Amino acid sequence: MKLQMVRIDALLSPQLHARCARKTLVHLPHPCRHRAKIGALALYLCALLVRAGGALGAQDITFSGSAQTALGVYVRGSNAGNFSRAQETVAGELDVRFANCEAFIAGNVFFNALAAFSDGTFSFADGLGAELKEAYFSWTSPEFGRGLTAGIKIGRQINAWGKADAIRIADVLCPQNLTTLNAANYSESRLGIDAIKITLSGMIFSLDAYWMPFFRPSALPLQKWNALGALLLPQNASVPGVPDPVPIAFGALSRPEIKLANGSYAARASFWLSRIDFSLYGYYGFDDFPIVDYALNALLPTTITVSGDYTAYGMAGFDMALPVSTLVFRLESAFLINRAFQTDAAHIFAGGTSYERKHEVRGLFGIDWMQSGWTVTAQYYGDGVFGDAATLSRSAYEHGTTLSVSRSFFSETLTLSLAGTLRWNNFDSFVSAKIQYALTDAIALLLAFDGYFPGKNDGEYGKYKDLSCVRLEGIFRF
């Protein structure tokens, strides 16, 4: 097959967020020991706070959680009849507050049956996993001045930027979990960053400053049991001038060196006025997607080695929300400065570089309407790079439209929803249909269909047509 960059961050959720970066075929195969240092410090502080809270009789201690089962089946093409998902997850959150302090821990343990059978035999250890989503300690000062407060948060934390609905425009702070196309939703795909956050808040504004000393990339699906991973990194590929397909081998993927100079920095200023809300954003740090390079081992190669690293860039962003009667109008834009864009494989095989640095601009306009149990969201987004894009693995300008419609019935016990995206470059599309029924306040069932449909020359979604699937989920919240 032809080697090409396959893009998945545009395909993450039923309300798909715009493809926002040059994509990659690889992810870091080994966890970085250093990236959890702030998270470990937060866990220690959390443990101290929980103990101190018990000693001081703190009354604001809450625990909540859920148990979820998800089962999915592919319904199209060569994957039809194969399981797309078979996983049980138990999640929990512990929140302790007293004396202007808070300790928060959230995580889950799961068993993935597809991973357990990945070698053809059952292995409980291969299917068992755990994730620390958040673990932080925070302190907020008493009010001072004219209604001002200051605060600090240390540890693994998730912070949402932007007002776009499930589309990544200025929301670059947190990396993403892209290990499945049918992640629960865009917000739940965010991965926590190990950071120190300082906040100054007033009656109509909030100022946040972030320092992320340790880099965390987005997680990509290269597990051999994952059908999506087989599309991202095929076993072999064609090379110009070579008659037979050449096997692909994974090489090294270099993260930024752990030192102060390689930290990432960010800031946000948010304002809430009587008729309008708006925010300003700034970011300088490393991209959470790697730049991929290909190396041939000879003039008539027998192996293609895939390797890569992460590059830094800057971003300035803006968003705004304006309610008018039953409508809410939203705007969001971002200007990405001197960002590294992936070049295509043919350019690299011909002796070219693996990336080119260019400026990028993204924008979105959205409208929301909520009335009598109906929720309708429509958005148009665009993403363009400056200069010549002939050698890039993306078009110079890419744009699309998203539409989401949902309706609740019977005192919100039954919810029907339909969502999708149409990409105007190739007219490829994605559609998601869901039926969710709440048996009780704590127990709910979900039946969903996710379909990927080709346009001209397949397009981005068309490449995933064989990953169209139906899934059933059940969740118990406690």
Side-chain angles (χ1 to χ4, degrees), residues 300-313:
L300 290 177
T302 57
T303 302
I304 302 172
T305 301
V306 178
S307 61
D309 57 11
Y310 296 88
T311 57
Y313 71 102

Side-chain angles (χ1 to χ4, degrees), residues 53-138:
L56 296 176
Q59 297 180 359
D60 195 359
I61 301 177
T62 60
F63 176 79
S64 61
S66 64
Q68 182 181 30
T69 295
L71 183 67
V73 178
Y74 294 117
V75 296
R76 185 175 181 180
S78 59
N79 292 322
N82 294 334
F83 287 109
S84 61
R85 196 172 187 187
Q87 182 167 307
E88 292 76 38
T89 305
V90 178
E93 297 181 357
L94 176 65
D95 192 1
V96 181
R97 301 181 184 222
F98 78 99
N100 297 328
C101 297
E102 178 187 12
F104 180 81
I105 302 174
N108 59 61
V109 294
F110 59 86
F111 179 76
N112 186 336
L114 300 182
F117 283 99
S118 61
D119 290 328
T121 58
F122 178 79
S123 171
F124 182 80
D126 289 344
L128 191 63
E131 178 186 13
L132 178 64
K133 297 181 69 68
E134 292 188 90
Y136 61 78
F137 167 83
S138 67

